[in-house]
Amino acid sequence: MSDCKFNTKRVHAGYRPEEHHYASSVPIYQTAAFGLTNTEVAEQIVTGQVTGRFDYSRDGNPTVEVLEQRIAALEGGVGAVAVASGMSAISFTILNVAECGGRIIAPVNIYGSTLDEFRNFFPNYGINFDLVDNINDLEHVKSLIQPDTKAIYVESVANPSTEIADLEALANIAHQAGIPLIVDNTFPTPYLLRPFEFGADIVIYSSTKGINGHGNTLSGLVVDHGQFDWTTGKFPQFTSEEFILGDEERQIHESFASKFGHQAFIKRIRMKYVRLLGSVLSPIDAYFVLLGLETISERLDKEVASAAKIAEFLNHNQYVNQVFYSGLNKTDPLVKKYFSKGVGSILSFELAGDETRVAKLIKNIKIFSYLPNIGDAKSLIVNPARTTHREVPAEFRRRNGLNPQVIRLSIGLEDVTDLIADLDQALTKAFEN
Ligand code: PLP
């Protein structure tokens, strides 16, 4: 399977039907625990000496494992961990990289809950953030690196502005400083962009969105490139002895780095964070994500094509001040470099009127659903400043042009002419007196 291309892997990778009664669809192992056979086998299972056996679904589950292996194969990573939400994936990654305290550089124009967590939650645990207005201002990013800086964190395509992060340049800066580049790649999905190909070290997903594609469950993924050296002394959590990895009776002492080598990061997420803090993805939710993943390419192709047409329509509409869709500028070097298949299915625009017009537009829209999600097969509309990005202070929003008149669209699989007609009539009604 490792030689196969993306479209083959998204339906096959990580699943061997012969090990599951030749079931064509990945079975849902809806069980909390698994029989241990006898005490000798139990010893092998709980110490991780055998593959294909499980003990307890918080430590691992066969359905969830197929999803983890499939996403690792699609990204080109050495391993992945599935969790209950995108926020869990972000939280566990930040904690795993900066557990002993330190600083992380990140842009301000990120998802609202992520920004809230970075500004108002992690500092309570000794992890502080240097937030920048423009993550592609490389000299500024470089100047912020201090001895205790532990990572650079970005969204590959920002929510909701769709600004593109220059991943390769940021990965170079990070690696020169001996720190990893962490990328939330939720907007593009691995179909449109695979950050490891540009040097990223850890990729995070809210697979609630385009990977699942049907808006039916929450889930998150962390994928490890396996190329970063955690043993330089900056990250003692990977090199210090761990009680659970050693053998007390035989006086064997191990760290995550000594035991798991290039899989140290992802094993530590599983064994320290998922196992101890919970936030496990349930088997049935993993099944939904796997099902959605099977059609990711066809969905994204259609949604991206429709998003581009809708961006063009809005760009020429008298009631629209500005469209935020990086895909509109075909000559942008970042679009050319990173997004040969299109920037994505999400775009935003600023209405040429006050918030009462926003309210009227949302009241009159018929096909788009007004709700705080993206990446669904159904088209969605939301006013981020009052909903998904409510946690972003007004001053930050002003600096990023995210005022209350900005509306975000997530384009689904409907006929694009119907979507444009729907927007057209709602925009007209929004500006009737
Ligand atoms: N990252 C991005 C870019 C998001 O848009 C979101 C949610 O909207 C998240 C992470 C959080 O994901 P979840 O809602 O699955 O926790």
Side-chain angles (χ1 to χ4, degrees):
M1 194 55 62
S2 59
D3 294 336
C4 291
K5 299 208 167 50
F6 187 92
N7 283 337
T8 307
K9 287 182 184 167
R10 52 126 183 206
V11 286
H12 291 293
Y15 183 56
R16 285 167 289 280
E18 62 277 20
E19 292 170 10
H20 303 272
H21 306 282
Y22 294 90
S24 144
S25 181
V26 177
I28 302 166
Y29 285 87
Q30 193 62 45
T31 179
F34 300 81
L36 299 175
T37 315
N38 57 46
T39 54
E40 277 162 34
V41 176
E43 181 71 13
Q44 291 173 351
I45 295 171
V46 298
T47 54
Q49 292 171 56
V50 283
T51 52
R53 293 294 301 263
F54 298 84
D55 59 350
Y56 193 61
S57 279
R58 181 157 41 77
D59 299 331
N61 173 282
T63 314
V64 179
E65 190 182 79
V66 175
L67 172 62
E68 292 170 338
Q69 292 186 0
R70 191 160 296 178
I71 197 75
L74 288 175
E75 288 289 344
V78 295
V81 166
V83 288
S85 68
M87 283 314 298
S88 283
I90 293 168
S91 308
F92 291 177
T93 299
I94 296 297
L95 287 166
N96 204 30
V97 82
E99 190 176 284
C100 310
R103 315 191 64 76
I104 294 180
I105 300 167
V108 287
N109 59 342
I110 48 179
Y111 172 56
S113 295
T114 312
L115 186 69
D116 187 29
E117 186 176 51
F118 289 4
R119 290 180 66 240
N120 305 313
F121 181 74
F122 276 136
N124 299 335
Y125 295 84
I127 304 172
N128 294 295
F129 287 78
D130 292 306
L131 296 169
V132 299
D133 280 339
N134 176 8
I135 196 70
N136 292 337
D137 182 345
L138 304 176
E139 287 311 313
H140 183 47
V141 170
K142 243 189 242 172
S143 74
L144 290 172
I145 294 175
Q146 298 177 39
D148 63 343
T149 301
K150 299 290 174 69
I152 299 176
Y153 176 100
V154 295
E155 287 178 3
S156 50
V157 175
N159 178 0
S161 67
T162 83
E163 272 166 61
I164 298 166
D166 191 350
L167 298 187
E168 195 164 51
L170 290 163
N172 285 338
I173 291 176
H175 296 161
Q176 273 161 22
I179 57 175
L181 175 67
I182 302 168
V183 179
D184 178 338
N185 198 41
T186 296
F187 266 41
T189 81
Y191 177 63
L192 297 179
L193 176 73
R194 284 181 294 284
F196 293 160
E197 292 171 5
F198 299 96
D201 299 288
I202 308 296
V203 166
I204 297 169
Y205 287 104
S206 165
S207 37
T208 311
K209 320 293 188 205
I211 287 185
N212 172 313
H214 295 81
N216 52 21
T217 183
L218 260 76
S219 65
L221 298 162
V222 183
V223 196
D224 183 358
H225 195 191
Q227 309 274 310
F228 189 79
D229 182 4
W230 301 101
T231 64
T232 55
K234 219 183 223 310
F235 307 93
Q237 65 271 38
F238 293 99
T239 48
S240 53
E241 280 172 19
E242 282 285 348
F243 180 76
I244 52 160
L245 300 180
D247 186 328
E248 217 177 4
E249 285 163 24
R250 291 192 287 148
Q251 292 280 302
I252 296 172
H253 305 286
E254 294 269 21
S255 68
F256 276 93
S258 69
K259 184 149 182 152
F260 298 114
H262 63 299
Q263 286 192 318
F265 187 90
I266 202 70
K267 290 282 187 188
R268 198 167 189 282
I269 293 252
R270 183 186 304 290
M271 294 177 75
K272 298 301 278 192
Y273 289 102
V274 184
R275 192 177 65 89
L276 298 185
L277 299 188
S279 193
V280 181
L281 186 66
S282 74
I284 190 154
D285 287 338
Y287 173 83
F288 284 132
V289 182
L290 282 163
L291 204 57
L293 196 48
E294 290 192 358
T295 53
I296 190 167
S297 314
E298 290 74 13
R299 282 189 285 107
L300 262 292
D301 278 345
K302 179 163 165 104
E303 290 169 2
V304 169
S306 297
K309 285 187 186 146
I310 290 170
E312 286 296 343
F313 161 76
L314 291 170
N315 210 23
H316 296 104
N317 189 284
Q318 58 175 317
Y319 303 122
V320 172
N321 270 348
Q322 197 186 346
V323 177
F324 302 93
Y325 185 57
S326 297
L328 265 179
N329 184 358
K330 307 249 171 357
T331 57
D332 179 344
L334 295 180
V335 174
K336 282 183 160 171
K337 177 166 183 178
Y338 295 109
F339 290 100
S340 58
K341 292 199 285 272
V343 177
S345 57
I346 297 120
L347 64 137
S348 302
F349 62 96
E350 186 190 280
L351 208 61
D354 62 17
E355 261 192 287
T356 59
R357 306 287 179 187
V358 174
K360 279 176 91 176
L361 186 147
I362 288 172
K363 192 170 165 214
N364 284 294
I365 202 91
K366 292 190 167 70
I367 299 174
F368 287 78
S369 306
Y370 176 45
L371 55 83
N373 198 12
I374 53 165
D376 197 324
K378 281 86 62 188
S379 289
L380 314 174
I381 186 167
V382 83
N383 47 340
R386 302 290 180 221
T387 57
T388 57
H389 289 64
R390 210 182 170 83
E391 300 98 327
V392 180
E395 178 215 333
F396 283 33
R397 279 199 257 113
R398 254 195 311 277
R399 283 191 342 229
N400 287 291
L402 181 61
N403 62 41
Q405 292 89 264
V406 169
I407 293 172
R408 186 183 73 190
L409 303 177
S410 172
I411 307 305
L413 296 174
E414 302 91 340
D415 197 312
V416 68
T417 52
D418 289 339
L419 294 176
I420 290 174
D422 193 25
L423 282 166
D424 200 16
Q425 64 79 25
L427 280 162
T428 306
K429 289 211 178 97
F431 283 84
E432 279 170 0
N433 285 319

